[in-house]
PDB file of all heavy atoms in Angstrom:
ATOM      1  N   GLN E  41     -70.984   5.511 -60.720  1.00  0.00           N
ATOM      2  CA  GLN E  41     -70.918   6.926 -61.157  1.00  0.00           C
ATOM      3  C   GLN E  41     -69.428   7.445 -61.124  1.00  0.00           C
ATOM      4  O   GLN E  41     -68.730   7.038 -60.290  1.00  0.00           O
ATOM      5  CB  GLN E  41     -71.807   7.872 -60.212  1.00  0.00           C
ATOM      6  CG  GLN E  41     -73.236   7.580 -60.405  1.00  0.00           C
ATOM      7  CD  GLN E  41     -74.111   8.543 -59.584  1.00  0.00           C
ATOM      8  OE1 GLN E  41     -73.687   8.967 -58.492  1.00  0.00           O
ATOM      9  NE2 GLN E  41     -75.219   8.842 -60.141  1.00  0.00           N
ATOM     10  N   VAL E  42     -69.201   8.473 -62.033  1.00  0.00           N
ATOM     11  CA  VAL E  42     -68.024   9.231 -61.995  1.00  0.00           C
ATOM     12  C   VAL E  42     -68.387  10.563 -62.063  1.00  0.00           C
ATOM     13  O   VAL E  42     -69.238  10.976 -62.750  1.00  0.00           O
ATOM     14  CB  VAL E  42     -67.165   8.904 -63.352  1.00  0.00           C
ATOM     15  CG1 VAL E  42     -65.969   9.803 -63.436  1.00  0.00           C
ATOM     16  CG2 VAL E  42     -66.762   7.379 -63.384  1.00  0.00           C
ATOM     17  N   TRP E  43     -67.658  11.396 -61.193  1.00  0.00           N
ATOM     18  CA  TRP E  43     -67.904  12.891 -61.075  1.00  0.00           C
ATOM     19  C   TRP E  43     -66.706  13.473 -61.814  1.00  0.00           C
ATOM     20  O   TRP E  43     -65.642  13.195 -61.469  1.00  0.00           O
ATOM     21  CB  TRP E  43     -68.003  13.233 -59.707  1.00  0.00           C
ATOM     22  CG  TRP E  43     -68.344  14.767 -59.555  1.00  0.00           C
ATOM     23  CD1 TRP E  43     -69.523  15.402 -59.638  1.00  0.00           C
ATOM     24  CD2 TRP E  43     -67.443  15.796 -59.270  1.00  0.00           C
ATOM     25  NE1 TRP E  43     -69.436  16.606 -59.393  1.00  0.00           N
ATOM     26  CE2 TRP E  43     -68.164  17.009 -59.120  1.00  0.00           C
ATOM     27  CE3 TRP E  43     -66.016  15.806 -58.957  1.00  0.00           C
ATOM     28  CZ2 TRP E  43     -67.571  18.249 -58.890  1.00  0.00           C
ATOM     29  CZ3 TRP E  43     -65.455  17.050 -58.802  1.00  0.00           C
ATOM     30  CH2 TRP E  43     -66.231  18.172 -58.697  1.00  0.00           C
ATOM     31  N   ILE E  44     -66.912  14.427 -62.810  1.00  0.00           N
ATOM     32  CA  ILE E  44     -65.842  14.985 -63.466  1.00  0.00           C
ATOM     33  C   ILE E  44     -66.114  16.532 -63.458  1.00  0.00           C
ATOM     34  O   ILE E  44     -67.178  17.025 -63.307  1.00  0.00           O
ATOM     35  CB  ILE E  44     -65.686  14.605 -64.978  1.00  0.00           C
ATOM     36  CG1 ILE E  44     -66.940  15.000 -65.789  1.00  0.00           C
ATOM     37  CG2 ILE E  44     -65.392  13.081 -64.958  1.00  0.00           C
ATOM     38  CD1 ILE E  44     -66.716  14.780 -67.214  1.00  0.00           C
ATOM     39  N   TRP E  45     -64.988  17.205 -63.456  1.00  0.00           N
ATOM     40  CA  TRP E  45     -65.013  18.664 -63.499  1.00  0.00           C
ATOM     41  C   TRP E  45     -64.103  19.084 -64.664  1.00  0.00           C
ATOM     42  O   TRP E  45     -62.929  18.600 -64.775  1.00  0.00           O
ATOM     43  CB  TRP E  45     -64.452  19.117 -62.192  1.00  0.00           C
ATOM     44  CG  TRP E  45     -64.427  20.571 -61.995  1.00  0.00           C
ATOM     45  CD1 TRP E  45     -65.240  21.460 -61.306  1.00  0.00           C
ATOM     46  CD2 TRP E  45     -63.420  21.591 -62.399  1.00  0.00           C
ATOM     47  NE1 TRP E  45     -64.844  22.790 -61.247  1.00  0.00           N
ATOM     48  CE2 TRP E  45     -63.697  22.738 -61.968  1.00  0.00           C
ATOM     49  CE3 TRP E  45     -62.145  21.436 -63.070  1.00  0.00           C
ATOM     50  CZ2 TRP E  45     -62.897  23.904 -62.125  1.00  0.00           C
ATOM     51  CZ3 TRP E  45     -61.382  22.450 -63.328  1.00  0.00           C
ATOM     52  CH2 TRP E  45     -61.776  23.726 -62.873  1.00  0.00           C
ATOM     53  N   TRP E  46     -64.553  19.933 -65.532  1.00  0.00           N
ATOM     54  CA  TRP E  46     -63.693  20.388 -66.700  1.00  0.00           C
ATOM     55  C   TRP E  46     -64.232  21.622 -67.235  1.00  0.00           C
ATOM     56  O   TRP E  46     -65.380  22.065 -67.141  1.00  0.00           O
ATOM     57  CB  TRP E  46     -63.475  19.240 -67.617  1.00  0.00           C
ATOM     58  CG  TRP E  46     -64.082  19.353 -68.970  1.00  0.00           C
ATOM     59  CD1 TRP E  46     -63.457  19.766 -70.104  1.00  0.00           C
ATOM     60  CD2 TRP E  46     -65.396  18.991 -69.435  1.00  0.00           C
ATOM     61  NE1 TRP E  46     -64.301  19.702 -71.170  1.00  0.00           N
ATOM     62  CE2 TRP E  46     -65.531  19.250 -70.742  1.00  0.00           C
ATOM     63  CE3 TRP E  46     -66.544  18.527 -68.668  1.00  0.00           C
ATOM     64  CZ2 TRP E  46     -66.670  18.989 -71.465  1.00  0.00           C
ATOM     65  CZ3 TRP E  46     -67.689  18.200 -69.372  1.00  0.00           C
ATOM     66  CH2 TRP E  46     -67.731  18.524 -70.692  1.00  0.00           C
ATOM     67  N   LEU E 122     -70.061  20.958 -74.679  1.00  0.00           N
ATOM     68  CA  LEU E 122     -70.978  20.199 -73.800  1.00  0.00           C
ATOM     69  C   LEU E 122     -71.781  19.238 -74.662  1.00  0.00           C
ATOM     70  O   LEU E 122     -71.818  18.048 -74.266  1.00  0.00           O
ATOM     71  CB  LEU E 122     -71.846  21.069 -72.956  1.00  0.00           C
ATOM     72  CG  LEU E 122     -72.725  20.368 -71.915  1.00  0.00           C
ATOM     73  CD1 LEU E 122     -71.775  19.631 -70.878  1.00  0.00           C
ATOM     74  CD2 LEU E 122     -73.537  21.378 -71.140  1.00  0.00           C
ATOM     75  N   PHE E 125     -69.630  16.357 -75.669  1.00  0.00           N
ATOM     76  CA  PHE E 125     -69.319  15.428 -74.532  1.00  0.00           C
ATOM     77  C   PHE E 125     -70.502  14.565 -74.188  1.00  0.00           C
ATOM     78  O   PHE E 125     -70.419  13.335 -74.004  1.00  0.00           O
ATOM     79  CB  PHE E 125     -68.876  16.208 -73.308  1.00  0.00           C
ATOM     80  CG  PHE E 125     -68.553  15.361 -72.245  1.00  0.00           C
ATOM     81  CD1 PHE E 125     -67.390  14.643 -72.178  1.00  0.00           C
ATOM     82  CD2 PHE E 125     -69.535  15.105 -71.150  1.00  0.00           C
ATOM     83  CE1 PHE E 125     -67.168  13.784 -71.052  1.00  0.00           C
ATOM     84  CE2 PHE E 125     -69.325  14.334 -70.104  1.00  0.00           C
ATOM     85  CZ  PHE E 125     -68.158  13.626 -69.990  1.00  0.00           C
ATOM     86  N   LYS E 126     -71.727  15.128 -74.149  1.00  0.00           N
ATOM     87  CA  LYS E 126     -72.948  14.355 -73.887  1.00  0.00           C
ATOM     88  C   LYS E 126     -73.114  13.260 -74.961  1.00  0.00           C
ATOM     89  O   LYS E 126     -73.650  12.198 -74.687  1.00  0.00           O
ATOM     90  CB  LYS E 126     -74.187  15.251 -73.865  1.00  0.00           C
ATOM     91  CG  LYS E 126     -74.084  16.034 -72.440  1.00  0.00           C
ATOM     92  CD  LYS E 126     -75.418  16.938 -72.452  1.00  0.00           C
ATOM     93  CE  LYS E 126     -75.518  17.593 -71.097  1.00  0.00           C
ATOM     94  NZ  LYS E 126     -76.782  18.345 -70.957  1.00  0.00           N
ATOM     95  N   ALA E 129     -70.815  10.551 -74.188  1.00  0.00           N
ATOM     96  CA  ALA E 129     -71.233   9.691 -73.103  1.00  0.00           C
ATOM     97  C   ALA E 129     -72.329   8.819 -73.467  1.00  0.00           C
ATOM     98  O   ALA E 129     -72.318   7.645 -73.038  1.00  0.00           O
ATOM     99  CB  ALA E 129     -71.693  10.731 -71.966  1.00  0.00           C
ATOM    100  N   ARG E 130     -73.355   9.240 -74.290  1.00  0.00           N
ATOM    101  CA  ARG E 130     -74.501   8.389 -74.700  1.00  0.00           C
ATOM    102  C   ARG E 130     -73.881   7.270 -75.523  1.00  0.00           C
ATOM    103  O   ARG E 130     -74.279   6.156 -75.348  1.00  0.00           O
ATOM    104  CB  ARG E 130     -75.445   9.201 -75.549  1.00  0.00           C
ATOM    105  CG  ARG E 130     -76.481   9.937 -74.711  1.00  0.00           C
ATOM    106  CD  ARG E 130     -77.561  10.466 -75.700  1.00  0.00           C
ATOM    107  NE  ARG E 130     -77.180  11.159 -76.825  1.00  0.00           N
ATOM    108  CZ  ARG E 130     -76.783  12.451 -76.877  1.00  0.00           C
ATOM    109  NH1 ARG E 130     -76.950  13.230 -75.756  1.00  0.00           N
ATOM    110  NH2 ARG E 130     -76.401  13.018 -77.925  1.00  0.00           N
ATOM    111  N   PHE E 134     -73.389   5.953 -71.109  1.00  0.00           N
ATOM    112  CA  PHE E 134     -73.388   6.721 -69.777  1.00  0.00           C
ATOM    113  C   PHE E 134     -74.538   7.727 -69.891  1.00  0.00           C
ATOM    114  O   PHE E 134     -74.849   8.294 -71.023  1.00  0.00           O
ATOM    115  CB  PHE E 134     -72.113   7.498 -69.553  1.00  0.00           C
ATOM    116  CG  PHE E 134     -70.993   6.651 -69.030  1.00  0.00           C
ATOM    117  CD1 PHE E 134     -70.063   6.082 -69.901  1.00  0.00           C
ATOM    118  CD2 PHE E 134     -70.861   6.363 -67.725  1.00  0.00           C
ATOM    119  CE1 PHE E 134     -68.899   5.456 -69.431  1.00  0.00           C
ATOM    120  CE2 PHE E 134     -69.826   5.546 -67.247  1.00  0.00           C
ATOM    121  CZ  PHE E 134     -68.874   5.132 -68.074  1.00  0.00           C
ATOM    122  N   GLY E 135     -75.135   7.925 -68.794  1.00  0.00           N
ATOM    123  CA  GLY E 135     -75.990   9.115 -68.638  1.00  0.00           C
ATOM    124  C   GLY E 135     -75.272  10.162 -68.130  1.00  0.00           C
ATOM    125  O   GLY E 135     -74.230   9.973 -67.364  1.00  0.00           O
ATOM    126  N   ALA E 136     -75.421  11.387 -68.532  1.00  0.00           N
ATOM    127  CA  ALA E 136     -74.608  12.607 -68.136  1.00  0.00           C
ATOM    128  C   ALA E 136     -75.484  13.672 -67.615  1.00  0.00           C
ATOM    129  O   ALA E 136     -76.371  14.093 -68.280  1.00  0.00           O
ATOM    130  CB  ALA E 136     -73.820  13.036 -69.300  1.00  0.00           C
ATOM    131  N   GLU E 137     -75.290  13.960 -66.388  1.00  0.00           N
ATOM    132  CA  GLU E 137     -76.125  15.051 -65.721  1.00  0.00           C
ATOM    133  C   GLU E 137     -75.192  16.219 -65.318  1.00  0.00           C
ATOM    134  O   GLU E 137     -74.205  15.991 -64.547  1.00  0.00           O
ATOM    135  CB  GLU E 137     -76.906  14.412 -64.503  1.00  0.00           C
ATOM    136  CG  GLU E 137     -77.729  15.482 -63.838  1.00  0.00           C
ATOM    137  CD  GLU E 137     -78.405  14.918 -62.546  1.00  0.00           C
ATOM    138  OE1 GLU E 137     -78.304  13.692 -62.364  1.00  0.00           O
ATOM    139  OE2 GLU E 137     -79.050  15.727 -61.923  1.00  0.00           O
ATOM    140  N   VAL E 138     -75.417  17.333 -65.795  1.00  0.00           N
ATOM    141  CA  VAL E 138     -74.792  18.499 -65.300  1.00  0.00           C
ATOM    142  C   VAL E 138     -75.215  18.882 -63.936  1.00  0.00           C
ATOM    143  O   VAL E 138     -76.289  19.057 -63.658  1.00  0.00           O
ATOM    144  CB  VAL E 138     -74.909  19.775 -66.227  1.00  0.00           C
ATOM    145  CG1 VAL E 138     -74.235  21.023 -65.683  1.00  0.00           C
ATOM    146  CG2 VAL E 138     -74.459  19.534 -67.604  1.00  0.00           C
ATOM    147  N   ARG E 139     -74.295  18.813 -62.969  1.00  0.00           N
ATOM    148  CA  ARG E 139     -74.533  19.016 -61.554  1.00  0.00           C
ATOM    149  C   ARG E 139     -74.402  20.524 -61.156  1.00  0.00           C
ATOM    150  O   ARG E 139     -75.171  21.040 -60.361  1.00  0.00           O
ATOM    151  CB  ARG E 139     -73.629  18.253 -60.681  1.00  0.00           C
ATOM    152  CG  ARG E 139     -73.828  16.777 -60.846  1.00  0.00           C
ATOM    153  CD  ARG E 139     -75.222  16.321 -60.803  1.00  0.00           C
ATOM    154  NE  ARG E 139     -75.323  15.295 -59.720  1.00  0.00           N
ATOM    155  CZ  ARG E 139     -76.457  14.969 -59.119  1.00  0.00           C
ATOM    156  NH1 ARG E 139     -77.473  15.551 -59.479  1.00  0.00           N
ATOM    157  NH2 ARG E 139     -76.461  14.084 -58.170  1.00  0.00           N
ATOM    158  N   THR E 140     -73.449  21.159 -61.710  1.00  0.00           N
ATOM    159  CA  THR E 140     -73.177  22.557 -61.364  1.00  0.00           C
ATOM    160  C   THR E 140     -72.204  23.112 -62.478  1.00  0.00           C
ATOM    161  O   THR E 140     -71.728  22.426 -63.356  1.00  0.00           O
ATOM    162  CB  THR E 140     -72.485  22.679 -59.986  1.00  0.00           C
ATOM    163  OG1 THR E 140     -72.241  24.014 -59.623  1.00  0.00           O
ATOM    164  CG2 THR E 140     -71.067  22.046 -59.926  1.00  0.00           C
ATOM    165  N   TYR E 141     -72.115  24.375 -62.458  1.00  0.00           N
ATOM    166  CA  TYR E 141     -71.365  25.094 -63.493  1.00  0.00           C
ATOM    167  C   TYR E 141     -70.762  26.235 -62.828  1.00  0.00           C
ATOM    168  O   TYR E 141     -71.304  26.801 -61.803  1.00  0.00           O
ATOM    169  CB  TYR E 141     -72.151  25.441 -64.633  1.00  0.00           C
ATOM    170  CG  TYR E 141     -73.396  26.301 -64.277  1.00  0.00           C
ATOM    171  CD1 TYR E 141     -73.293  27.658 -64.197  1.00  0.00           C
ATOM    172  CD2 TYR E 141     -74.480  25.638 -63.932  1.00  0.00           C
ATOM    173  CE1 TYR E 141     -74.392  28.367 -63.708  1.00  0.00           C
ATOM    174  CE2 TYR E 141     -75.584  26.213 -63.392  1.00  0.00           C
ATOM    175  CZ  TYR E 141     -75.559  27.659 -63.365  1.00  0.00           C
ATOM    176  OH  TYR E 141     -76.599  28.394 -62.962  1.00  0.00           O
ATOM    177  N   TYR E 168     -67.791  23.063 -65.932  1.00  0.00           N
ATOM    178  CA  TYR E 168     -68.975  22.227 -65.553  1.00  0.00           C
ATOM    179  C   TYR E 168     -68.517  21.065 -64.674  1.00  0.00           C
ATOM    180  O   TYR E 168     -67.388  20.516 -64.750  1.00  0.00           O
ATOM    181  CB  TYR E 168     -69.419  21.585 -66.799  1.00  0.00           C
ATOM    182  CG  TYR E 168     -70.358  22.560 -67.639  1.00  0.00           C
ATOM    183  CD1 TYR E 168     -69.775  23.282 -68.615  1.00  0.00           C
ATOM    184  CD2 TYR E 168     -71.644  22.617 -67.404  1.00  0.00           C
ATOM    185  CE1 TYR E 168     -70.582  24.218 -69.402  1.00  0.00           C
ATOM    186  CE2 TYR E 168     -72.473  23.488 -68.179  1.00  0.00           C
ATOM    187  CZ  TYR E 168     -71.872  24.258 -69.138  1.00  0.00           C
ATOM    188  OH  TYR E 168     -72.582  25.120 -69.944  1.00  0.00           O
ATOM    189  N   ALA E 169     -69.310  20.738 -63.719  1.00  0.00           N
ATOM    190  CA  ALA E 169     -69.251  19.437 -62.925  1.00  0.00           C
ATOM    191  C   ALA E 169     -70.339  18.581 -63.426  1.00  0.00           C
ATOM    192  O   ALA E 169     -71.513  18.897 -63.405  1.00  0.00           O
ATOM    193  CB  ALA E 169     -69.419  19.802 -61.432  1.00  0.00           C
ATOM    194  N   ILE E 170     -70.000  17.327 -63.860  1.00  0.00           N
ATOM    195  CA  ILE E 170     -70.958  16.454 -64.465  1.00  0.00           C
ATOM    196  C   ILE E 170     -70.834  15.173 -63.779  1.00  0.00           C
ATOM    197  O   ILE E 170     -69.716  14.612 -63.489  1.00  0.00           O
ATOM    198  CB  ILE E 170     -70.673  16.276 -65.922  1.00  0.00           C
ATOM    199  CG1 ILE E 170     -70.918  17.632 -66.591  1.00  0.00           C
ATOM    200  CG2 ILE E 170     -71.477  15.264 -66.554  1.00  0.00           C
ATOM    201  CD1 ILE E 170     -70.502  17.664 -68.088  1.00  0.00           C
ATOM    202  N   THR E 171     -71.993  14.510 -63.511  1.00  0.00           N
ATOM    203  CA  THR E 171     -72.014  13.075 -63.042  1.00  0.00           C
ATOM    204  C   THR E 171     -72.350  12.230 -64.174  1.00  0.00           C
ATOM    205  O   THR E 171     -73.358  12.403 -64.781  1.00  0.00           O
ATOM    206  CB  THR E 171     -73.156  13.024 -61.927  1.00  0.00           C
ATOM    207  OG1 THR E 171     -72.746  13.855 -60.831  1.00  0.00           O
ATOM    208  CG2 THR E 171     -73.137  11.502 -61.454  1.00  0.00           C
ATOM    209  N   LEU E 172     -71.484  11.215 -64.384  1.00  0.00           N
ATOM    210  CA  LEU E 172     -71.717  10.254 -65.443  1.00  0.00           C
ATOM    211  C   LEU E 172     -72.177   8.972 -64.672  1.00  0.00           C
ATOM    212  O   LEU E 172     -71.592   8.618 -63.639  1.00  0.00           O
ATOM    213  CB  LEU E 172     -70.423   9.858 -66.145  1.00  0.00           C
ATOM    214  CG  LEU E 172     -69.926  10.973 -67.079  1.00  0.00           C
ATOM    215  CD1 LEU E 172     -68.634  10.477 -67.785  1.00  0.00           C
ATOM    216  CD2 LEU E 172     -70.848  11.365 -68.136  1.00  0.00           C
ATOM    217  N   THR E 173     -73.239   8.386 -65.118  1.00  0.00           N
ATOM    218  CA  THR E 173     -73.791   7.151 -64.529  1.00  0.00           C
ATOM    219  C   THR E 173     -73.755   6.013 -65.632  1.00  0.00           C
ATOM    220  O   THR E 173     -74.194   6.157 -66.743  1.00  0.00           O
ATOM    221  CB  THR E 173     -75.187   7.346 -64.062  1.00  0.00           C
ATOM    222  OG1 THR E 173     -75.196   8.445 -63.207  1.00  0.00           O
ATOM    223  CG2 THR E 173     -75.663   6.164 -63.398  1.00  0.00           C
ATOM    224  N   LYS E 174     -73.031   4.885 -65.298  1.00  0.00           N
ATOM    225  CA  LYS E 174     -73.014   3.768 -66.228  1.00  0.00           C
ATOM    226  C   LYS E 174     -74.452   3.162 -66.249  1.00  0.00           C
ATOM    227  O   LYS E 174     -75.138   2.788 -65.280  1.00  0.00           O
ATOM    228  CB  LYS E 174     -72.020   2.717 -65.673  1.00  0.00           C
ATOM    229  CG  LYS E 174     -71.959   1.467 -66.608  1.00  0.00           C
ATOM    230  CD  LYS E 174     -70.909   0.557 -66.071  1.00  0.00           C
ATOM    231  CE  LYS E 174     -70.986  -0.760 -66.818  1.00  0.00           C
ATOM    232  NZ  LYS E 174     -69.932  -1.654 -66.484  1.00  0.00           N
ATOM    233  N   LEU E 175     -74.919   3.089 -67.513  1.00  0.00           N
ATOM    234  CA  LEU E 175     -76.221   2.578 -67.771  1.00  0.00           C
ATOM    235  C   LEU E 175     -76.137   1.100 -67.711  1.00  0.00           C
ATOM    236  O   LEU E 175     -75.116   0.454 -67.980  1.00  0.00           O
ATOM    237  CB  LEU E 175     -76.813   3.125 -69.102  1.00  0.00           C
ATOM    238  CG  LEU E 175     -76.954   4.663 -69.142  1.00  0.00           C
ATOM    239  CD1 LEU E 175     -77.284   5.066 -70.539  1.00  0.00           C
ATOM    240  CD2 LEU E 175     -77.889   5.266 -68.067  1.00  0.00           C
TER     241      LEU E 175
END
Side-chain angles (χ1 to χ4, degrees):
Q41 295 184 323
V42 175
W43 183 82
I44 64 168
W45 180 100
W46 109 97
L122 185 59
F125 180 77
K126 285 181 172 182
R130 277 191 312 274
F134 280 98
E137 180 183 355
V138 175
R139 301 304 241 163
T140 187
Y141 54 89
Y168 281 91
I170 297 174
T171 300
L172 292 177
T173 303
K174 180 178 177 178
L175 303 175

